[in-house]
Amino acid sequence: MNNPVVTRFAPSPTGFLHIGGARTALFNWLYAKSKNGKFLLRVEDTDSVRSTKEATDAIFKGLEWLGINWDGDPIFQKSNEMRHQDIAEQLLKKGMAYRCYATQEEIMKFQQTAKQNGTSTIYKSPWRENTSKLVKGLKSVVRLRSPNIGETVITDQIKGRVSWKNDTLDDLVLLRSDGTPTYMLAVVVDDHDMRVSHIIRGDDHLTNSARQILIYKAMGWNVPKFAHLPLINGEDGSKLSKRHGAVSVTEYKKMGYPAIAIKNYLARLGWSHGDTEYFTMDEAIKWFSLEKIGQSPARFDKKKLDSVSKFHLNKASPNDLVEEIIAFSLHQRNLIISEKQSSIFKKSINMLRERSSTFHEIIENARFFLLKPPIIVEPTDRALITQVDLKMLERLTLELTAVRWTDVALEKLLSNFVKKEQITFQTVARPLRLAIIGRKSSPSIALVLAILGRKETLNRISDALKTFKRN
RNA sequence: GCGCCCUUCGUCUAUCGGUUAGGACGCCAGGUUUUCAUCCUGGAAAGAGGAGUUCGAUUCUCCUAGGGCGUACCA
């Protein structure tokens, strides 16, 4: 029988949830779900100087928003410190580790000369073979006595076989001179204690994995399976950073992307299921496998994200979508949408969403009924309403007063009006748009009128007539 | 410097030795149209370079080039 699958996401709480971190979390989650396993969360807070509560909260919130839910309570690495130290002691006793009294200056000097000579910069501590008893009064670190013959092999679930000659791997520090455990030790011990079966993390950890395997071996522990994800780069191919635009999940949330769009897009960056571009998380779980993850780094392409987002916006159930938008505008935009507006929203959601990639854009497109009069026309557009137009709008008003107020009837009224006036549709549509929504573009004008209602429409037109006549 | 990883259209990717190298985003052209969009149709666009293995390489191997990661008492 196979061991149960346990994966984990192990962020260090030194900032927001990075988009790359989110993808790592997503793949861990997807894999665990697809194997009916567990997905755990561990906060790597061993660096007490850089770790903050705010960052921890931000990461939790980010994952929650994405719907990447973890099993059990999050584990804080710091609270396992004693356990880590205990393991280091055991290693020391077994002779698999040793105390090194070299100073940082000595090590730096060694590395400098090694670089000059073009040889390996891996520090060979003289204390490795020094069997003399403890040197009292001198600070020491505990280093792993790693093998210097043979090789270390990872059968990576994504990359295949990767190997290192052991003499290219260093005697890594397990315990700092102040006695605190390093990341290298802590991850291994925690992953072992948490019974993590698959370590899925970024490619940047590939060498670390080899070094960490040495610790597993020294302890005689089972080595988990590894899968190293190719990294996400910016649009220019360089490392993804703030200068490429938004890199935190929270920023994407604020911009109004639905969580499913982010997940769909991120999953598609590196992973594929044939030609399928759009999918739900249930489908992704069903189809997911590590073998289908590619080897090469991907670039983050916001245009593609937009199209994925547009797809999901247009697929969502209208009522759910409206609910989400109302929540979004309240929390992210501090804009309260009234009962009345929300019922208009429900009626117009289809025409709004087909031209939008984000909640934010939907709201922008809905501004014609979200805005309170008076309607402001951009100064640069004011010249587009002429005195001739105003006369025409007055004649139109008369007809609008009498018509049955449905989109079909309004459509018909407008086309008859155009014929009667012997003008193009645009001649009437443009000033009418400007008058009632203050902009040159909008969804279909008859629909807009229908949704706005007769009273509101006539009020807005009459306001516009007053304003523009004065000028 | 040393170690390791990566390399198919502009971008994300499919292909598990034999294909006119497929799809999506974007782009271009045309159509629908009521503005902005949407939508529909069509188009341009790729195996980094060089050896080898093979009847046959995008696919397997090696070399080169380019890019990335690591090389901390950070994680």
Side-chain angles (χ1 to χ4, degrees):
Chain A
M1 204 196 131
N2 284 330
N3 292 328
V5 166
V6 178
T7 65
R8 52 50 162 197
F9 176 55
S12 54
T14 53
F16 45 75
L17 177 59
H18 191 274
I19 201 83
R23 191 183 64 144
T24 302
L26 177 64
F27 282 169
N28 274 284
W29 181 84
L30 245 18
Y31 187 66
K33 295 288 163 197
S34 74
K35 295 288 183 188
N36 249 307
K38 284 202 187 322
F39 168 67
L40 308 177
L41 178 61
R42 185 179 67 224
V43 181
E44 312 240 305
D45 54 351
T46 49
D47 185 339
S48 43
V49 179
R50 292 197 301 153
S51 301
T52 66
K53 173 95 170 51
E54 292 71 49
T56 307
D57 288 345
I59 291 166
F60 287 2
K61 287 249 172 66
L63 290 172
E64 276 163 13
W65 175 68
L66 283 169
I68 299 176
N69 48 310
W70 56 90
D71 293 301
D73 292 327
I75 289 157
F76 290 86
Q77 192 156 56
K78 188 90 186 165
S79 62
N80 296 335
E81 204 172 283
M82 307 265 279
R83 166 74 175 153
H84 304 147
Q85 286 160 341
D86 179 49
I87 296 298
E89 283 304 320
Q90 287 186 36
L91 254 9
L92 232 27
K93 280 209 186 86
K94 287 164 74 172
M96 306 302 283
Y98 62 94
R99 291 195 180 275
C100 170
Y101 297 87
T103 62
Q104 311 241 29
E105 291 75 52
E106 284 179 73
I107 297 172
M108 269 172 62
K109 207 171 160 194
F110 167 86
Q111 285 170 338
Q112 272 177 4
T113 38
K115 252 183 197 170
Q116 279 167 9
N117 298 340
T119 55
S120 164
T121 53
I122 286 176
Y123 182 62
K124 303 281 183 199
S125 171
W127 300 94
R128 179 181 164 112
E129 306 308 337
N130 188 329
T131 50
S132 64
K133 44 246 142 266
L134 286 184
V135 180
K136 295 258 157 78
L138 276 180
K139 292 242 173 200
S140 69
V141 298
V142 174
R143 285 183 186 272
L144 184 73
R145 189 189 304 277
S146 55
N148 41 29
I149 50 164
E151 59 174 15
T152 294
V153 177
I154 296 180
T155 308
D156 191 274
Q157 305 292 293
I158 294 170
K159 299 186 168 316
R161 185 184 193 274
V162 185
S163 67
W164 291 259
K165 293 215 169 21
N166 281 338
D167 59 10
T168 63
L169 266 15
D170 62 338
D171 282 0
L172 68 242
V173 172
L174 266 16
L175 252 31
R176 303 185 184 102
S177 54
D178 65 357
T180 57
T182 60
Y183 159 81
M184 286 292 167
L185 207 217
V187 236
V188 172
V189 175
D190 288 346
D191 282 335
H192 175 261
D193 288 352
M194 289 159 71
R195 302 185 191 293
V196 171
S197 65
H198 295 255
I199 296 179
I200 304 169
R201 72 220 308 195
D203 227 353
D204 50 343
H205 280 288
L206 189 57
T207 314
N208 285 342
S209 295
R211 301 206 282 159
Q212 287 165 205
I213 283 175
L214 265 18
I215 303 179
Y216 284 94
K217 293 241 170 99
M219 283 305 294
W221 288 342
N222 276 336
V223 180
K225 294 211 184 305
F226 287 93
H228 291 93
L229 266 12
L231 270 23
I232 301 178
N233 292 330
E235 302 197 11
D236 58 356
S238 68
K239 187 175 172 154
L240 188 60
S241 72
K242 270 176 220 140
R243 85 194 146 74
H244 292 108
V247 284
S248 110
V249 168
T250 313
E251 289 175 87
Y252 286 91
K253 179 184 177 187
K254 280 192 181 142
M255 284 187 264
Y257 289 96
I260 180 61
I262 300 290
K263 285 190 286 188
N264 185 157
Y265 176 69
L266 250 24
R268 201 61 194 71
L269 233 42
W271 174 77
S272 62
H273 180 258
D275 286 337
T276 314
E277 298 288 344
Y278 309 113
F279 41 81
T280 65
M281 284 304 108
D282 283 346
E283 288 169 324
I285 289 168
K286 197 164 66 196
W287 298 329
F288 193 78
S289 77
L290 295 173
E291 299 83 77
K292 299 300 285 182
I293 295 174
Q295 323 260 302
S296 50
R299 300 183 186 202
F300 192 89
D301 181 4
K302 195 164 168 300
K303 293 221 175 96
K304 182 97 182 212
L305 202 212
D306 282 342
S307 81
V308 172
S309 188
K310 179 177 276 181
F311 172 86
H312 285 284
L313 246 25
N314 282 281
K315 210 195 62 172
S317 110
N319 285 346
D320 291 353
L321 186 56
V322 171
E323 292 305 316
E324 281 193 84
I325 290 165
I326 290 169
F328 173 80
S329 51
L330 181 63
H331 299 306
Q332 306 296 331
R333 287 286 124 89
N334 214 2
L335 193 157
I336 297 168
I337 293 181
S338 67
E339 275 304 297
K340 195 179 154 209
Q341 286 169 327
S342 103
S343 84
I344 298 177
F345 236 128
K346 281 178 184 151
K347 279 184 241 166
S348 57
I349 189 66
N350 283 335
M351 72 176 189
L352 295 172
R353 87 219 285 204
E354 74 178 13
R355 60 188 62 226
S356 310
S357 292
T358 60
F359 296 148
H360 173 73
E361 282 175 27
I362 292 182
I363 291 171
E364 273 298 297
N365 288 323
R367 70 203 306 276
F368 69 87
F369 66 78
L370 254 19
L371 284 180
K372 286 203 185 87
I375 302 302
I376 311 289
V377 178
E378 290 293 317
T380 47
D381 291 338
R382 280 179 200 157
L384 295 172
I385 301 188
T386 64
Q387 294 305 308
V388 176
D389 291 334
L390 293 178
K391 293 248 162 55
M392 175 190 67
L393 287 180
E394 275 173 354
R395 292 192 293 280
L396 182 64
T397 304
L398 292 176
E399 307 213 10
L400 288 174
T401 315
V403 71
R404 235 185 104 235
W405 207 264
T406 66
D407 54 349
V408 180
L410 286 163
E411 181 90 56
K412 199 163 175 202
L413 179 149
L414 284 172
S415 61
N416 286 339
F417 183 75
V418 162
K419 265 181 222 151
K420 197 161 75 186
E421 297 266 323
Q422 296 191 301
I423 53 177
T424 63
F425 201 99
Q426 206 186 139
T427 311
V428 62
R430 172 123 86 186
L432 187 54
R433 266 200 186 90
L434 284 165
I436 62 177
I437 68 170
R439 286 193 172 181
K440 282 178 289 190
S441 68
S442 80
S444 165
I445 190 75
L447 278 174
V448 169
L449 296 187
I451 283 164
L452 223 39
R454 189 196 315 264
K455 190 168 161 239
E456 186 66 28
T457 301
L458 293 178
N459 282 345
R460 290 188 185 190
I461 293 175
S462 109
D463 282 352
L465 289 176
K466 275 181 222 147
T467 312
F468 284 91
K469 264 193 179 155
R470 264 207 303 272
N471 292 348

